[in-house]
Amino acid sequence: MKANDLTDEQIGTLIDRKVAQATSWYSSKLSTERQKVMEYIDGVLPKRQHAGSFSGTTRECYNAVEMMRAQLGDTFSVGSGIVQFDAKNVQDTEAAYIATEYTNHVFYRKNGGERIIRDVIFDGLTARVGIAKVWWDKDVEEVELEFDNITAAELDYWKQADDITDIVLTDEYEDGTASGKIVRVVDKGQVLIEVVNPEEFFIESHAKHLSDEYFCGQRTRKTIDWIVTNYPKMKGREDDLAAGVADDQWSSPEVIARFSSTSESIRLDDDPIQDELREVMVVEVYTRLKRKGDLTARLYKIIRCGSVTIEIEPVESNPYVCFTALPRPHRFYGENFVNTVVPIQTAKTALLRSMIDAAMLTSNPRYQVVKGGLLNPSELLENRLSGIVNVRDKESVFPLPQPQMNPMLMTLMQGLDAMNEGTTGISALSQGLNKDAISKSSSAAQLEQQTGVSQTRQKEIARCFVNGFLIPLFCKIYDLVVAHEKRENIELATATGWAKVSPMQWSAGRTASASAHLGYGEKDNEANRLMMIGKEMASNPIASAFAGPAGAYSILADILTLQGHRADIKRYLPVTPDMLPPPQPSPMEQAEMALVQAKAQAEVLNAQTAAKKVEEHGEIARMKVEMAKMSAMMNAMMKSRDADRKDAESANRIEVSQTETALLVDAAATGTDPAKAIISPNS
């Protein structure tokens, strides 16, 4: 049939046929096997062979499942840090760390991750496969809030807000403010994880693994009211939905075995209180189709109820992740872990019952009685410690011969215990029950090595769990958060403090990896090794110098993580390396630094003194130069004064000579004595 010709109802008809094919073989084989396994776990099987014999069982199946679940559950407990997202480069390290912390928060805190791990491991051990469903729950709630004295600008802002659907004004005031009510839409959407009941999940019979290429789905009982509430377009088709009567899922063998120890009978569908609360069978299917408008076949989610197609929408991938404890190549369903223990429990129970029955027959033997040898036969039938039995003669009653208990029974029991250890991989040593391994000559390292070797099977199952279940689960959680989380700056408490997370800004398609410390006690052993390294570093100054505060902090943080205290790192180590003050020198280094500083100061003083001397010498030389200059100036001045004096004297002599000459001339003219004229010219 061409893609253009496929209507919703025609697709539904094809889906119904595929569902019938996928569930028919499952109901006939898997369901019967799971019923038997559950009865062995509960100790109902094997049944006793005849009335009056011991009816107890040895419970190897129960012990194997619970011990395996306890060891795996301890490995993957909250704060274990087993799964971590990979950084794409050095700059992406912090983003990968935040993504890991946020995904752990969603899984362990919001969805009860430890419960999911415990239930999936149980299903994987008892039902061949454990299934979990991961999806984004679109939880939107409308909240009515009152406001008062709000301005017009604030009202306009509210009207444009996407999360406010209605505004009702009750009072308007003269100052322009108003009061009233608003309806705010609060997005409470989150990732939900649910462990699927084994009888609800189905997959095509020849599927090799869980992937989008194989037809798979889930059958669940839902009320008509639930369908109408979650799919409003189904309102008005309640009668058509009611035609999809729930099948006999509650009467399937495995469901009866699951509740047989707590309920007297199977659940019966009584008349519901209201027609809307009537339960119907809803089938959710994931398969590849090519519909009108599709260029290639793509994955679709199809929801059916009876003959009604509730929804058909394209999806990126199916929401299921699975855990197979004992996988088989080229087959989706692996081996049943409990089925491997069933023969051992059957054989050991038979031996235990025979031993107890033999002991009971020894303490309370059967008797041969000659006909008519007892006066009152009821006296012998009363099994009491003391009393009188009236016989006709001493040979009328004697014990019936019983075969002796085989002395090899205890050896055979021990052989079955060893077979059980080899089958399940759970040794007495790993449980702390092997007294032969504990002696004065056994060192702690030797016991640790023996315990590690005995846990090979558990480690392999743990790898199957982390690689086949946890890593795909965390990747689906991450992709759902990136695709649907619209909130920004979410406050998240990480191991190193509070951080603001905005998943809508993350990049899709991030990969994850698992820690190598898988298996019971592996993390404690690694923590002890890190402690020894830390002590060695603390006692070795060179190693301590190489590691520094950052290395010591990393070792302590890793030890806390391995011991299950990842969330408490910030509380136990509140000071990070970048908050530490610079390292202080030792007393010897301080003395050396003081001596160096003193020498440096002395050198500075000497340099200053020398400079001062040089400066003083320079000042003296300058003064001498100045004095020489002054002396030269004085000499020049003195020479200048002598020249002036000589000139003045010469001029004076000339003037005197001229005056005397004039007087002599005048004296000669007047007849005066020349000597008198020169000596006293006025006389």
Side-chain angles (χ1 to χ4, degrees), residues 8 24 29 119 195 220 236 262 286 298 329 351 356 366 408 432 453 476 482 485 529 584 612 652 659:
D8 290 354
S24 60
K29 292 187 177 181
D119 294 349
V195 180
T220 55
T262 57
Y286 295 86
R298 57 188 305 187
L351 292 178
I356 293 178
R366 300 178 66 186
M408 296 299 295
V453 172
K476 283 185 180 291
V482 173
E485 183 61 81
R529 283 192 285 267
Q584 301 297 324
K612 190 173 182 180
N652 186 40
T659 303

Side-chain angles (χ1 to χ4, degrees), residues 58 109 191 204 301 437 517 557 592:
T58 54
R109 302 298 182 188
V191 175
E204 57 183 275
K301 170 186 174 183
H517 311 303
E592 292 178 355

Side-chain angles (χ1 to χ4, degrees), residues 345-472:
Q345 179 168 323
T346 302
K348 196 171 180 179
T349 298
L351 292 178
L352 178 65
R353 287 173 177 173
S354 64
M355 293 170 62
I356 293 178
D357 290 342
M360 293 295 295
L361 289 174
T362 303
S363 302
N364 299 278
R366 300 178 66 186
Y367 289 92
Q368 296 184 81
V369 180
V370 177
K371 185 177 181 180
L374 292 177
L375 296 177
N376 187 3
S378 62
E379 294 175 348
L380 190 61
L381 295 176
E382 295 177 1
N383 187 11
R384 56 185 181 177
L385 296 178
S386 61
I388 298 175
V389 179
N390 295 299
V391 297
R392 296 188 184 277
D393 57 70
K394 61 180 181 179
E395 296 183 355
S396 298
V397 179
F398 53 90
L400 188 68
Q402 299 290 337
Q404 295 293 327
M405 187 174 66
N406 192 336
M408 296 299 295
L409 287 180
M410 291 304 300
T411 303
L412 185 56
M413 292 281 283
Q414 295 175 358
L416 289 175
D417 289 337
M419 184 184 299
N420 186 41
E421 292 183 10
T423 301
T424 62
I426 303 175
S427 64
L429 181 62
S430 65
Q431 301 179 61
L433 303 177
N434 191 351
K435 59 179 176 40
D436 297 330
I438 303 175
S439 63
K440 295 182 180 179
S441 60
S442 299
S443 63
Q446 182 180 359
L447 289 176
E448 180 181 338
Q449 183 179 6
Q450 293 176 353
T451 304
V453 172
S454 67
Q455 292 177 344
T456 304
R457 181 68 61 83
Q458 291 98 311
K459 292 179 182 179
E460 182 61 27
I461 294 178
R463 292 188 185 95
C464 292
F465 183 79
V466 70
N467 294 321
F469 180 80
L470 273 188
I471 290 180

Side-chain angles (χ1 to χ4, degrees), residues 34 38 65 69 116-132 195-199 254 258 323-325 335-337:
R34 291 168 179 170
M38 194 59 63
V65 170
R69 184 164 66 162
I116 294 172
I117 289 175
R118 183 177 64 250
D119 294 349
V120 169
I121 290 175
F122 183 85
D123 289 342
L125 297 174
T126 61
R128 290 181 180 259
V129 65
I131 303 291
V195 180
V196 179
N197 292 339
E199 69 274 4
E254 60 184 300
R258 184 186 305 153
F323 161 59
T324 305
E335 291 296 327
N336 193 307
F337 177 79

Side-chain angles (χ1 to χ4, degrees), residues 320-341:
Y320 303 108
V321 288
C322 67
F323 161 59
T324 305
L326 303 176
R328 289 287 298 272
H330 318 299
R331 195 175 75 183
F332 172 72
Y333 287 101
E335 291 296 327
N336 193 307
F337 177 79
V338 179
N339 246 353
T340 62
V341 192

Side-chain angles (χ1 to χ4, degrees), residues 488-668:
E488 295 184 359
N489 298 327
I490 302 173
E491 292 288 340
L492 175 67
T494 67
T496 57
W498 288 90
K500 291 186 177 181
V501 182
S502 299
M504 62 183 303
Q505 299 177 1
W506 293 351
S507 59
R510 189 179 288 276
T511 60
S513 58
S515 170
H517 311 303
L518 300 176
Y520 183 75
E522 285 291 312
K523 295 182 295 182
D524 291 337
N525 295 336
E526 182 64 20
N528 292 333
R529 283 192 285 267
L530 288 179
M531 288 182 185
M532 295 177 62
I533 294 174
K535 291 180 180 178
E536 178 65 24
M537 289 174 54
S539 60
N540 190 334
I542 298 178
S544 180
F546 285 149
Y553 183 91
S554 299
I555 289 178
L556 293 175
D558 290 345
I559 291 174
L560 291 174
T561 300
L562 291 168
Q563 292 181 340
H565 300 289
R566 180 180 178 86
D568 300 323
I569 290 178
K570 184 63 177 178
R571 184 159 58 94
Y572 293 148
L573 303 174
V575 179
T576 56
D578 56 348
M579 299 170 58
L580 292 174
Q584 301 297 324
S586 63
M588 183 177 295
E589 292 175 342
Q590 291 179 354
E592 292 178 355
M593 290 177 60
L595 181 59
V596 170
Q597 291 178 355
K599 290 182 178 180
Q601 291 178 356
E603 291 177 356
V604 170
L605 290 175
N606 293 334
Q608 291 178 350
T609 303
K612 190 173 182 180
K613 289 182 178 179
V614 171
E615 184 178 358
E616 290 177 350
H617 291 164
E619 183 68 19
I620 293 172
R622 186 182 64 79
M623 292 177 65
K624 288 181 177 180
V625 171
E626 292 294 330
M627 291 180 66
K629 290 181 179 180
M630 292 179 65
S631 177
M633 291 177 63
M634 291 295 295
N635 291 333
M637 290 176 64
M638 292 297 294
K639 290 180 178 180
S640 176
R641 288 180 179 179
D642 289 342
D644 292 341
R645 181 177 58 80
K646 290 179 178 180
D647 291 341
E649 289 178 351
S650 297
N652 186 40
R653 282 197 300 270
I654 293 171
E655 183 179 0
V656 171
S657 296
Q658 290 176 353
T659 303
E660 288 180 348
T661 301
L663 290 176
L664 290 175
V665 171
D666 291 337

